[in-house]
Amino acid sequence: MFTEILSRSVGERIRSSRLVDLLTGPHGVDRYTELVDPTLVLGDGRARVVAVRRATPRSVTLTLAPNAAFTAAHRVRAGQHVTVTVEIDGRRHLRCYSPANAEGEEHLEITVGRHDRGLVSGYLYEHAEPGMVVGLDTAAGDFVLPVTPPERILFVAGGSGITPVMAMLRTLRATGYTGTAALLYYSRTAAEACYADELAAMPGVRVLHAHSRGDGGDLTGRFGPEHVGAALPDPDLVYVCGPTALADAVREQHPDAVTESFTPPQVVVPTEPSGGRIAFTRSGVDAVDTGRNLLEQAEAAGLSPKHGCRMGICHACTCRKTSGVVMNLTTGAVSSADADDIQICVSVPVGDVEIAL
């Protein structure tokens, strides 16, 4: 073990050496080390898939071993999401997933729900296997536990919204939480309820299931006061992660609920394009504004910007606006300052604009 740690330490010093980087120019040492192992790079967060489990008919669970570049730059709190890059037919696709493992564990665990016509979710469900390497970046999100959890916590999850809730429940258990926790879990059928066996065996947590397309649940109908009463009356804190309809129903009864919704937000689209000039300065490409968001206009111009959720949540598409004015479609905020970072998936030009892309 000592020899392995010493060898790893020496290897990291060699890879981070400026002299070695110069000697291996112009591409740098990462270009050579990744030929041996794609995760042995200093510049990019990556992870190797070390285990794959298909526990339900519509989900796949991946256990990821992050490389040093990711773990050195990011601390993933229970409930946050990470950006995962998957290469399919030579093209990189970014998606946001919330790890389900307890906070601080060596490996990350993500459970991907397979969506109808979902490119990445379908690919992972069908093709993910141990040894596969994915990109890993950007641990973010405010859907997290407080430093001192209250005495009574109610969790509400719908579908794949169970993953950040599992991270919180596992973290509470690992840290010796002595309060009372309950979970209302809404899924289509009992067979599609992820982590059902583990939840049933989890001590100190009352778990109630409701199924929208099947029998056998503990509760019937949609979320309401009677469901809360059956799970945990008068909770001190409520968390909800799921479709917008579920999140809205929970907030209607508990306005202070901590919410994470994975349905795209409503956007306000300008009625007419500005007709201004869009200059993608790093690529040397110009375009005339068509009124679509800047990500779509960049793709229409033949560029392939980095992106993830395409709805203004993950920030993977953030680029530097060097001049001009843009409007954020989700908030209505206008950015007129030069040298401003914007999310191009939810930003549209207001006249001429230059983007460092």
Side-chain angles (χ1 to χ4, degrees):
M1 177 62 73
F2 175 76
T3 303
E4 179 183 347
I5 294 173
L6 180 61
S7 175
R8 187 186 309 132
S9 176
V10 171
E12 289 173 355
R13 288 201 300 271
I14 291 174
R15 293 199 304 275
S16 61
S17 166
R18 294 185 63 186
L19 175 60
V20 172
D21 198 54
L22 287 171
L23 292 174
T24 54
H27 303 298
V29 68
D30 280 356
R31 179 65 62 87
Y32 298 93
T33 57
E34 68 180 354
L35 296 176
V36 179
D37 184 340
T39 65
L40 289 178
V41 292
L42 295 174
D44 296 314
R46 297 179 185 176
R48 185 178 300 279
V49 177
V50 296
V52 177
R53 186 174 76 255
R54 294 174 176 84
T56 80
R58 294 181 63 87
S59 70
V60 58
T61 299
L62 312 180
T63 303
L64 308 178
N67 67 354
F70 178 82
T71 56
H74 303 281
R75 174 199 171 207
V76 185
R77 297 183 62 187
Q80 289 188 311
H81 55 261
V82 296
T83 301
V84 177
T85 303
V86 180
E87 185 172 310
I88 303 175
D89 296 330
R91 296 192 64 180
R92 296 188 307 163
H93 301 269
L94 283 73
R95 297 292 186 271
C96 292
Y97 298 113
S98 297
N101 53 280
E103 188 172 317
E105 290 190 350
E106 178 182 1
H107 290 161
L108 299 181
E109 177 182 298
I110 62 171
T111 292
V112 179
R114 183 176 188 176
H115 301 290
D116 296 333
R117 298 184 299 276
L119 174 64
V120 175
S121 64
Y123 179 85
L124 290 175
Y125 184 85
E126 294 175 4
H127 301 290
E129 60 183 5
M132 178 181 183
V133 174
V134 298
L136 202 58
D137 198 5
T138 318
D142 299 323
F143 192 75
V144 295
L145 291 166
V147 175
T148 303
E151 181 64 27
R152 297 167 64 82
I153 308 177
L154 173 64
F155 297 95
V156 183
S160 58
I162 189 62
T163 53
V165 170
M166 281 301 301
M168 292 181 176
L169 289 172
R170 287 169 165 174
T171 298
L172 289 173
R173 182 181 180 188
T175 54
Y177 176 67
T178 58
T180 302
L183 167 65
L184 292 170
Y185 185 13
Y186 297 84
S187 56
R188 301 202 301 184
T189 65
E192 294 181 23
C194 302
Y195 300 103
D197 292 340
E198 181 179 347
L199 287 168
M202 189 172 286
V205 181
R206 179 169 175 76
V207 180
L208 297 178
H209 293 267
H211 306 310
S212 60
R213 301 187 184 180
D215 300 325
D218 304 298
L219 303 167
T220 58
R222 299 181 181 275
F223 173 88
E226 65 281 2
H227 289 192
V228 177
L232 186 65
D234 300 319
D236 298 320
L237 185 60
V238 178
Y239 285 90
V240 54
C241 184
T244 297
L246 176 61
D248 289 345
V250 173
R251 278 197 302 262
E252 185 175 334
Q253 186 175 343
H254 299 275
D256 296 330
V258 183
T259 305
E260 181 90 335
S261 174
F262 45 75
T263 302
Q266 296 294 317
V267 300
V268 179
V269 181
T271 56
E272 295 182 0
S274 71
R277 168 180 167 270
I278 306 173
F280 299 105
T281 55
R282 291 181 179 174
S283 305
V285 174
D286 285 7
V288 176
D289 177 32
T290 62
R292 307 304 300 171
N293 65 61
L294 283 163
L295 172 59
E296 292 178 354
Q297 296 202 58
E299 291 174 332
L303 305 182
S304 300
K306 184 178 179 181
H307 65 276
C309 65
R310 304 183 78 99
M311 63 179 75
I313 295 175
C314 73
H315 294 268
C317 70
T318 298
C319 291
R320 175 60 58 93
K321 173 177 66 70
T322 55
S323 71
V325 180
V326 301
M327 184 181 74
N328 187 301
L329 295 173
T330 60
T331 66
V334 174
S335 166
S336 58
D338 293 342
D340 192 17
D341 290 331
I342 62 170
Q343 294 171 265
I344 61 173
C345 75
V346 291
S347 295
V348 293
V350 182
D352 294 346
V353 64
E354 293 186 353
I355 307 294
L357 177 65

